[in-house]
Amino acid sequence: MNRFTAFVKKEFFHILRDRRTLLILFGLPLVQVLLFGFALTNEIKNAKIAILDNDKSPHSQQITNKLLASGYFQLRENLRSNDDIERAFRKGAIKLAVVFPAGFTENYEHGRSAQIQLLADATEQNTAISLTNYATAIIRDYTTDLNPTVQPPLTIDVRSRMVFNPELKGAFVFVPGVMAMVLLLVSALMTSVTIARERETGTLEVLMVSPLTQGQVLLGKVVPYLLLSFLNGCIIIALGVFVLKVPLHGSLLLLLSETLLFIFLSLSIGIFISSIVDTQLVAMFASLMALLLPTIFLSGFMFPIESMPKPLQLVSNLIPAKYFISIVKGIMIKGAGLRYLWQPTLVLVGMSIVFMGLSLHNLKTRLS
């Protein structure tokens, strides 16, 4: 019994001295609980909206204030014309546009049907449905509060329309998200293992002292996976367009270029992971845990980022899939060009440069 107790104590000491084991035992569950608790929600909060007020009356202003005071909506901008609505949607700046037509107050006060139009970005159909339902309920509450004795039919008629995805097809949401998740995980996983394998077998030092420069060695590792992953991306796009009937309203050349950029970034992340670990097993584990959960929960793929706490919203800015998903939706569903998508594209370019530079630095440091 004493031997067994001593053996158990020894195992405890081994575990307590191993930081990676402690991280898996305590850190991973903590992160999962926080992610599931805060990110895993269908409740909409602080969704960015735009107001086009052609009436400019006390009633329209009071309804606007009531919408913003609910906590569900956050005013992004006041629009001046109908053309501004399309621009804001294509840019991805808003989720909902509220339009007050001219003569709204006159129709309302004279007992005629006064209309308010709600335009929702249905590239995320669940969010669009929730936002229009919230806005409709708030507007009807305003009518009831103003005239508690009035019985339906209501004197304010709310007309909602889903933009870009009027049939609310789920494929419009899942194809861009799955495309980002598959390309990121597969590309990063493959390259993270390849450098670790060279280190395990002892051939990395041989490669680094060959006539090739370190940059050429890294590119030589990247190019085959880049081409294979690009072929994988083309297959996913073809399946989405021809099988799942997701439209391609924008430029195919721009979509393929953005896909190639995202794949290069994913491969750079894989090489970076491989440059800081020693074994293939650790590289695979690090790739899955560092990329899988954040991509699912914090990229906006499954859950709206606006509903998350501010710290998680800030963390989501570090998730590459967040930018690629918005780019794919913008090109395929909204028909947006580089004029509207230059900002997320620039972020992906910057991330690619940073991760590739860090990978080169780490390899030089470890081999010096």
Side-chain angles (χ1 to χ4, degrees), residues 9-19 21-22 25-26:
K9 288 182 179 179
K10 179 186 73 69
E11 291 299 314
F12 266 112
F13 291 142
H14 277 305
I15 294 174
L16 294 176
R17 284 197 298 262
D18 190 344
R19 294 182 179 179
T21 302
L22 290 176
L25 285 174
F26 299 104

Side-chain angles (χ1 to χ4, degrees), residues 274-289:
S274 186
S275 69
I276 59 177
V277 300
D278 296 320
T279 65
Q280 299 178 66
L281 183 61
V282 175
M284 292 178 61
F285 180 80
S287 299
L288 290 175
M289 299 313 301

Side-chain angles (χ1 to χ4, degrees), residues 60-354:
S60 62
Q61 186 60 50
Q62 289 169 11
I63 292 175
T64 299
N65 292 338
K66 192 174 181 65
L67 288 171
L68 299 179
S70 67
Y72 297 120
F73 306 104
Q74 186 179 57
L75 182 62
R76 177 60 185 263
E77 58 182 313
N78 286 297
L79 305 177
R80 298 181 179 179
S81 66
N82 291 327
D83 293 336
D84 291 339
I85 298 177
E86 182 178 0
R87 173 189 56 78
F89 274 129
R90 290 189 185 278
K91 192 177 179 180
I94 61 172
K95 301 291 185 182
L96 183 76
V98 183
V99 181
F100 295 92
F104 168 76
T105 297
E106 183 180 355
N107 290 332
Y108 179 74
E109 292 180 346
H110 287 81
R112 296 190 294 268
S113 177
Q115 294 184 356
I116 295 177
Q117 187 177 28
L118 303 177
L119 302 173
D121 183 355
T123 55
E124 300 176 14
Q125 81 272 26
N126 292 331
T127 301
I129 293 172
S130 297
L131 291 179
T132 53
N133 289 339
Y134 290 161
T136 300
I138 292 170
I139 294 170
R140 288 177 176 172
D141 285 343
Y142 172 80
T143 305
T144 303
D145 294 341
L146 199 63
N147 299 303
T149 60
V150 174
Q151 299 296 322
L154 299 172
T155 56
I156 296 181
D157 181 18
V158 180
R159 301 288 181 89
S160 60
R161 181 163 67 91
M162 302 297 172
V163 184
F164 303 122
N165 185 13
E167 298 178 3
L168 299 177
K169 293 183 178 180
F172 284 37
V173 177
F174 287 104
V175 167
V178 169
M179 184 176 174
M181 185 171 65
V182 169
L183 292 179
L184 179 63
L185 292 178
V186 172
S187 302
L189 182 62
M190 288 189 300
T191 49
S192 68
V193 171
T194 182
I195 301 293
R197 182 172 60 246
E198 297 286 358
R199 182 178 290 113
E200 273 191 292
T201 56
T203 55
L204 181 61
E205 289 76 7
V206 177
L207 286 175
M208 289 303 178
V209 297
S210 67
L212 297 175
T213 65
Q214 293 180 345
Q216 289 174 329
V217 171
L218 285 183
L219 286 178
K221 291 287 185 180
V222 166
V223 168
Y225 293 115
L226 182 68
L227 297 177
L228 292 174
S229 298
F230 181 68
L231 177 61
N232 196 9
C234 293
I235 292 173
I236 296 174
I237 293 173
L239 288 174
V241 173
F242 296 109
V243 178
L244 300 175
K245 305 302 180 184
V246 178
L248 180 56
H249 293 309
S251 168
L252 177 60
L253 180 61
L254 179 60
L255 178 61
L256 294 177
S257 301
E258 297 283 1
T259 301
L260 196 61
L261 172 61
F262 182 70
I263 291 172
F264 182 77
L265 169 58
S266 303
L267 296 174
S268 301
I269 294 174
I271 292 178
F272 171 72
I273 293 174
S274 186
S275 69
I276 59 177
V277 300
D278 296 320
T279 65
Q280 299 178 66
L281 183 61
V282 175
M284 292 178 61
F285 180 80
S287 299
L288 290 175
M289 299 313 301
L291 299 175
L292 179 61
L293 288 178
T295 298
I296 292 176
F297 296 133
L298 299 178
S299 66
F301 169 34
M302 297 185 66
F303 309 102
I305 296 175
E306 295 84 358
S307 303
M308 301 176 189
K310 287 295 182 182
L312 287 183
Q313 292 185 34
L314 294 175
V315 173
S316 71
N317 293 324
L318 304 176
I319 309 301
K322 169 187 174 180
Y323 304 99
F324 184 64
I325 289 173
S326 67
I327 289 173
V328 174
K329 287 182 178 179
I331 296 173
M332 296 186 70
I333 303 173
K334 299 180 181 179
L338 196 57
R339 172 188 173 189
Y340 298 102
L341 303 174
W342 66 270
Q343 288 180 318
T345 301
L346 197 61
V347 172
L348 294 183
V349 171
M351 286 184 173
S352 301
I353 295 173
V354 168

Side-chain angles (χ1 to χ4, degrees), residues 15-67:
I15 294 174
L16 294 176
R17 284 197 298 262
D18 190 344
R19 294 182 179 179
R20 287 180 294 185
T21 302
L22 290 176
L23 182 63
I24 295 173
L25 285 174
F26 299 104
L28 185 59
L30 180 62
V31 171
Q32 287 180 329
V33 168
L34 291 175
L35 284 177
F36 276 89
F38 289 111
L40 218 67
T41 175
N42 290 323
E43 184 181 358
I44 310 297
K45 296 179 181 178
N46 300 318
K48 293 180 174 60
I49 67 171
I51 304 293
L52 177 57
D53 190 354
N54 294 318
D55 191 58
K56 294 183 172 58
S57 65
H59 285 302
S60 62
Q61 186 60 50
Q62 289 169 11
I63 292 175
T64 299
N65 292 338
K66 192 174 181 65
L67 288 171

